[in-house]
């Protein structure tokens, strides 16, 4: 490019900070974040950072080859320490199985690096508390992968609730039904193992459902819940097998050691009452991550399977007309970065891209990011109460 062209391109746009990125865990979400970072320059012209892919770590050699050959990382190694201690790496993305999150977070925080960890940030409430403490003590910026918060229509629902348009919210229903474990031949991958995932669907799915409720309605104060494991043995997985992989009837099986299903009643600090249900084995809904909020003047409902639609009921307008359908489009949040107009749809990985854009913007500007580990900790307190309630059979207070 000529000197004149360079001057023309840079005129009028904000200065950009270079951010060196390291990724640990290069399966589904490690790759999704990396793809997102790669395409941010093509989507967000006014960004204040340019992410540079420096180093990647995964125990599987094939994933390391992919990281350098297809994604363009400069270096890749099975030793995660080499990513965290790489002087060119300023931000660490953690997308390894849950039970290895905390040592990685602690090492990244001690090295003074900003850290984005996939949810739930550790496989138990105690581990989430350790991670939050490490980031707080080191004073580093933290982020957590509650990507559904970034759905433009979910943010619109938050605006409707916060502005009082729906009146006082009295009732809330959250749910996440994912069929990834519904087939008994589904492999016994890390998600089904207490020593690798920590808890099962409470960590994997309820964390998302409660995080959205926290964002929309505020804190939960009491819960009464129940857990169940329906499929108690599954075929042994091979290296790198994911939770959508299938075995054969003749394959050897090992026990499932965490829960398939969880449900709870709850009370919010606002006084609203809520119900939550999550499952990986129920047959029917493939990926129904959904909520309904019911207020004294209206209601709002969203379902990830219909990410680009919001159902809205305004009691003040035409009470007999039922819910109306609001279509996603460029008038909502970052939707227009991906597709123009209205009714042109965005998808799962676009939410990850918005999340990464917002996180790296916060890092470049040196300010805190939400959801960070304090929000992960708010979920951990609810999870601890749910686990106690499943044991005691009664209501349990959510304790900080
Ligand atoms: N936000 C979301 O919507 C969402 C969706 C899926 C997964 N996740 C989270 O992302 C994380 C990863 O899940 P996934 O579905 O990508 O799993 P995955 O199995 O597809 O990938 C995990 C990767 O981590 C690697 N790994 C295993 N042990 C490691 C170690 N000690 N150090 C470094 N890497 C290691 C594996 O080889 C694999 O490549 C989990 O915490 C999960 O909860 C979040």
């Amino acid at each position: 490019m000529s000197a004149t062209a360079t001057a023309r391109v840079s005129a009028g746009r904000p200065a950009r900070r270079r951010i060196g990125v390291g990724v640990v865990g290069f399966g589904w979400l490690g790759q999704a974040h990396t793809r997102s970072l790669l395409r941010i320059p093509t989507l967000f012209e006014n960004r204040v950072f340019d992410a540079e892919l420096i180093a990647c770590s995964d125990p599987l050699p094939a994933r390391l080859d992919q990281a350098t050959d297809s994604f363009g990382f400069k270096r890749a190694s099975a030793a995660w320490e080499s990513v965290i201690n790489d002087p060119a790496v300023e931000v660490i993305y953690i997308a390894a199985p849950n039970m290895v999150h905390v040592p990685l977070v602690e090492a990244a925080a001690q090295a003074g690096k900003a850290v984005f960890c996939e949810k739930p940030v550790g496989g138990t409430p105690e581990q989430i508390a350790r991670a939050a403490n490490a980031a707080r003590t080191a004073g580093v910026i933290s982020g957590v992968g509650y990507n559904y918060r970034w759905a433009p229509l979910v943010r619109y629902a938050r605006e409707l609730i916060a502005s009082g348009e729906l009146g006082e919210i009295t009732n809330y229903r959250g749910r996440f039904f994912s069929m990834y474990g519904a087939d008994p031949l589904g492999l016994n991958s890390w998600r089904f193992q207490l020593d690798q995932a920590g808890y099962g669907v409470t960590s994997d799915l309820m964390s998302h459902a409660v995080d959205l409720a926290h964002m929309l309605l505020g804190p939960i104060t009491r819960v009464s819940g129940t857990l169940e494991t329906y499929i108690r043995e599954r075929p042994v997985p091979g290296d790198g097998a994911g939770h959508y992989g299938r075995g054969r009837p003749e394959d050897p099986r090992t026990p499932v050691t965490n829960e398939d299903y969880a449900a709870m009643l709850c009370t919010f600090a606002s006084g609203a009452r809520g119900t939550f249900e999550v499952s990986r084995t129920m047959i029917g809904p493939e990926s129904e991550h959904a909520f309904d909020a019911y207020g004294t003047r209206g209601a709002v409902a969203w379902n990830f399977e219909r990410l680009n639609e919001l159902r809205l009921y305004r009691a003040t307008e035409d009470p007999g007309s039922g819910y109306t359908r609001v279509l996603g489009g460029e008038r909502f949040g970052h939707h227009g970065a991906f597709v123009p107009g209205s009714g042109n749809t965005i998808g799962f990985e676009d939410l990850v891209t918005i999340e990464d854009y917002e996180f790296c913007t916060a890092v470049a500007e040196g300010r805190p990011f939400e959801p960070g580990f304090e929000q992960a900790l708010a979920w951990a307190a609810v999870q601890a109460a749910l686990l106690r309630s499943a044991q005691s059979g009664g209501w349990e207070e959510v304790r900080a």
Side-chain angles (χ1 to χ4, degrees), residues 24-31 33 57-60 63 78 80 94-98 100-101 104 117-122 145-148 176 189-191 196 203-204 208 240-243 348 352 355:
V24 181
F26 206 53
W28 179 18
L29 261 284
Q31 295 184 22
H33 284 295
S57 178
D58 197 284
L60 298 175
R63 300 233 159 122
W80 57 262
I94 298 172
N98 304 345
V100 288
H101 288 173
L104 296 167
C117 185
E118 260 309 327
K119 42 61 65 172
V121 194
Y146 285 124
N147 45 308
Y148 299 99
F176 200 155
S189 66
W190 66 261
R191 272 184 173 74
Q196 294 178 68
S203 288
D204 200 30
H208 274 302
H243 52 316
F348 173 86
V352 176
E355 166 179 84

Side-chain angles (χ1 to χ4, degrees), residues 41-353:
T42 69
L43 297 167
F44 295 94
E45 200 182 341
N46 288 324
R47 67 198 177 280
V48 293
F49 65 92
D50 272 319
E52 193 179 354
L53 301 179
I54 306 286
C56 178
S57 178
D58 197 284
L60 298 175
R63 300 233 159 122
L64 299 179
D65 290 344
Q66 236 182 325
T68 49
D69 296 354
S70 303
F71 287 76
F73 280 96
K74 292 187 194 318
R75 301 179 266 286
S77 159
W80 57 262
E81 294 84 349
S82 67
V83 173
I84 289 177
N85 297 323
D86 191 318
V89 168
E90 191 181 344
V91 172
I92 310 286
Y93 274 79
I94 298 172
N98 304 345
M99 288 301 262
V100 288
H101 288 173
V102 175
L104 296 167
V105 166
E106 288 178 335
Q110 276 158 24
K113 310 214 166 169
V115 54
F116 184 97
C117 185
E118 260 309 327
K119 42 61 65 172
V121 194
T124 64
E126 296 73 21
Q127 289 192 354
I128 299 174
R130 263 178 59 194
N133 191 41
R136 208 183 295 132
T137 306
V140 297
I141 297 170
S142 67
V144 55
Y146 285 124
N147 45 308
Y148 299 99
R149 279 186 178 227
W150 298 103
L153 287 175
V154 170
R155 298 187 92 75
Y156 178 52
R158 180 167 76 159
E159 276 171 46
L160 289 168
I161 292 169
S163 68
E165 264 204 70
L166 305 179
E168 183 195 342
I169 303 297
T170 53
N171 299 84
Y172 186 89
R173 248 166 25 104
R175 57 202 181 278
F176 200 155
F177 301 133
S178 175
M179 271 178 61
Y180 69 77
D183 182 347
L185 289 179
L187 294 172
N188 211 349
S189 66
W190 66 261
R191 272 184 173 74
F192 300 87
Q193 300 299 316
L194 192 61
D195 63 340
Q196 294 178 68
Y199 290 100
V201 289
T202 61
S203 288
D204 200 30
L205 304 178
M206 188 71 92
S207 59
H208 274 302
V210 166
D211 180 69
L212 273 194
H214 279 162
M215 182 182 91
L216 294 167
L217 256 65
I220 290 170
T221 52
R222 303 175 74 214
V223 307
S224 171
T226 181
L227 311 177
E228 183 57 289
T229 305
Y230 291 96
I231 299 177
R232 293 182 173 270
E233 287 191 325
R234 293 179 178 276
V236 176
D239 272 355
H243 52 316
Y244 288 98
R246 296 284 172 271
R248 293 164 306 177
E250 64 272 25
D251 286 345
R253 291 170 196 233
T254 45
V256 169
T257 49
N258 58 25
E259 74 286 353
D260 287 333
Y261 170 85
M264 64 183 191
L265 301 174
C266 80
T267 307
F268 288 86
S270 67
R273 300 298 196 264
T275 65
F276 288 84
E277 219 184 351
V278 298
S279 169
R280 63 188 179 194
T281 50
M282 276 167 51
I283 301 247
E286 293 277 0
S287 193
E288 186 176 312
H289 181 201
F291 65 80
D292 290 80
Y294 305 95
T296 50
R297 294 171 55 203
V300 66
W302 180 81
N303 177 353
F304 173 67
E305 287 181 352
R306 293 175 172 269
L307 161 62
N308 294 277
E309 279 179 41
L310 190 75
R311 293 172 60 239
L312 180 61
Y313 188 101
R314 282 192 169 99
T316 43
E317 282 177 4
D318 182 3
S321 64
Y323 280 85
T324 54
R325 194 165 66 119
V326 179
L327 284 184
E330 64 185 6
R331 65 197 173 108
F332 298 112
H334 290 306
H335 193 116
F338 302 90
V339 278
S342 184
N344 295 320
T345 56
I346 62 171
F348 173 86
E349 216 160 290
D350 297 329
L351 306 187
V352 176
T353 302

